[in-house]
Amino acid sequence: MKKHKLPQTTIARLPVYLRSLVMLANKGEQIVSSEGLAQIAGTNAAQLRKDLSYLGEFGTRGVGYEVDQLVNEVSKWLGLLRDRTVIIVGLGRLGGALVGYQGFSQKGFKVVGAFDRDPAIIGKKVDGLLVQHINEIHDFAHNLPGGVDIGIIATQAPSAQGVANKMVDAGVRAIINFAPITIDVPEEVVLRQVDLSVELQILSYYLQKR
């Protein structure tokens, strides 16, 4: 595999391409044209061909792409050829729903730990996972073979930075923050901020322009 970095916009589209390719594979399709794949993925053929060109040389002019080969290549670039371990901190409505979401395991993301600071739920099980105190994150991660790949923060805003610090100290290598506050992590830790209220405000902007 080439070791160059992909453009952020291309990275954002790769999971959509993969989802579309898996859907085609499940239907028994073996070949797909750039136009056909682009239509399913909600983009245009020129953009799709440009994105895939970053991954290598695939497809045959006038024929299309081999679906299984492209599934493998996109999965490889997304780091999905191995399972990823995930912990979730904050077992409110959002965190509890994420623990029980079956789509994670179907895509190779295994939720292995659930943490909170509320004594009322610590020691109880949520979808088969024992809820532990957030102070246990470090020991849990270090006792887990291979450590924890991804941490999801689903706490209230005031707690988010402290939780992120605990994750970093535990060796968690990537964090998704759902709390409505910006957090800081070391440069070597991958961080994604997902604030649903911000997304709603962006949608509101586009609605007023219609």
Side-chain angles (χ1 to χ4, degrees), residues 142-159:
H142 281 268
N143 289 328
L144 187 71
V148 174
D149 293 312
I150 300 170
I152 297 177
I153 299 175
T155 66
Q156 297 295 318
S159 303

Side-chain angles (χ1 to χ4, degrees), residues 126-178:
V126 176
D127 276 274
L129 282 180
L130 182 69
V131 179
Q132 303 177 63
H133 194 279
I134 61 172
N135 289 339
E136 301 297 322
I137 292 174
H138 183 277
D139 288 346
F140 176 88
H142 281 268
N143 289 328
L144 187 71
V148 174
D149 293 312
I150 300 170
I152 297 177
I153 299 175
T155 66
Q156 297 295 318
S159 303
Q161 184 63 61
V163 170
N165 294 343
K166 290 181 183 297
M167 288 182 173
V168 171
D169 289 343
V172 177
R173 289 163 282 186
I175 295 173
I176 299 177
N177 176 35
F178 281 102

Side-chain angles (χ1 to χ4, degrees), residues 70-83:
L70 209 50
V71 166
N72 184 71
E73 290 298 329
V74 175
S75 297
K76 186 187 301 182
W77 276 89
L78 288 174
L80 299 177
L81 296 185
R82 50 154 288 192
D83 288 344

